[in-house]
Amino acid sequence: VRYVEVSPPAGWQTMAKTVRGFDEDKVQNCKEDIDTLLVFTGLYSAVLSAFVVESYTDLRPDPNTQIVFLLERIVVQTQSYTITSGTLDSAAQPSPILPHFTVPLWAVRVNGLWFASLIISLATASLSMLVKQWLREYLAIEHTAPQERLRARQYRRPGLEKWKVFEIAAVLPMLIQLSLGLFFAGLCFFTANVDEHVYFTSVPLVSGWAFFIVVTTLAPLVSPRCPYKIPLLKSVVRAVRTRVVM
């Protein structure tokens, strides 16, 4: 008895190749966005860390202030010494207590905003790496037969949609925008304490950036032909329309 290996029909191979190409294109686009996001997040976190290192010292007492206070007391004590009848006397008053340190309100606001911004930025980078691993695993199919590859793909695809992997990837850029917003808000508080002229320069620029982000994000809801579309907004609109139809 001779066994002849029958190759799968050409239709299966064509279908598997077409579906594979579709998945690879979508995953590749998502990975490219994540790679760009990771580069920006790394640079942004480095810049933000420099600001945080400079600002968090305002939350603690300045050691130079304590040193100056002690030196002043030493000078006063030294100048108060007098010699009377061979006796060394001191007319210095009792040493005052070192003033209690109170954290300035502006320092609390600035550091709170900047630390929150840094945490969101680093968390976004962490989530980005996780999403890349999820997408890589989705495409990792070990089967060689077209039918098996299609079966594996159809098994994984509903899970990818059910667990909102692409939606999570679409949220990542918005998290960076949120992180930038917190940083800019903290920067306004910081410049308000540093110099009034710098503050009045920073506020219009930050306000213009915030206005542009809000308008370009919401514009597609007003005009369907508006090209300012982002994946997250498209998913939200699609979900709303589905609920309305149901």
Side-chain angles (χ1 to χ4, degrees), residues 8-77:
W12 285 105
Q13 294 181 356
T14 303
M15 185 182 301
K17 184 178 180 180
T18 302
V19 171
R20 180 74 176 183
F22 173 80
D23 288 342
E24 287 181 348
D25 289 342
K26 188 169 185 178
V27 170
Q28 183 63 28
N29 291 335
C30 186
K31 283 185 175 181
E32 289 178 356
D33 292 341
I34 292 177
D35 289 338
T36 304
L37 186 67
L38 285 172
V39 173
F40 175 79
T41 302
L43 296 175
Y44 169 66
S45 298
V47 173
L48 180 56
S49 298
F51 281 89
V52 171
V53 169
E54 181 66 26
S55 66
Y56 91 97
T57 55
D58 296 319
L59 300 175
R60 302 183 303 175
D62 187 1
N64 294 326
T65 302
Q66 298 178 356
I67 294 175
V68 170
F69 176 80
L70 294 176
L71 290 176
E72 289 178 349
R73 294 308 308 161
I74 293 174
V75 171
V76 171
Q77 187 73 25

Side-chain angles (χ1 to χ4, degrees), residues 92-128:
Q93 299 295 325
S95 300
I97 301 176
L98 182 67
H100 177 69
F101 174 75
T102 302
V103 181
L105 180 59
W106 69 268
V108 175
R109 291 174 176 174
V110 169
N111 283 275
L113 291 170
W114 283 356
F115 272 100
S117 177
L118 182 60
I119 292 172
I120 293 175
S121 176
L122 296 177
T124 301
S126 175
L127 292 175
S128 299

Side-chain angles (χ1 to χ4, degrees), residues 171-188:
V171 171
L172 298 178
M174 302 304 297
L175 291 178
I176 287 297
Q177 297 293 350
L178 174 61
S179 179
L180 277 171
L182 294 175
F183 170 71
F184 286 147
L187 190 64
C188 290

Side-chain angles (χ1 to χ4, degrees), residues 20 23-24 26-32 34-35 38 126-142 156 160 165-166 169:
R20 180 74 176 183
D23 288 342
E24 287 181 348
K26 188 169 185 178
V27 170
Q28 183 63 28
N29 291 335
C30 186
K31 283 185 175 181
E32 289 178 356
I34 292 177
D35 289 338
L38 285 172
S126 175
L127 292 175
S128 299
M129 291 186 291
L130 283 177
V131 171
K132 288 193 67 174
Q133 292 177 355
W134 298 339
L135 295 176
R136 185 183 300 110
E137 183 63 24
Y138 170 70
L139 292 178
I141 298 178
E142 300 177 354
R156 295 179 180 181
L160 199 70
V165 174
F166 287 108

Side-chain angles (χ1 to χ4, degrees), residues 207-242:
S207 300
W209 170 84
F211 178 77
F212 181 80
I213 291 295
V214 172
V215 170
T216 54
T217 301
L218 300 180
L221 297 178
V222 179
S223 176
R225 293 187 176 182
C226 179
Y228 305 146
K229 293 181 174 66
I230 57 177
L232 179 61
L233 186 62
K234 291 169 62 177
S235 301
V236 172
V237 172
R238 190 181 302 113
V240 171
R241 289 177 179 174
T242 302

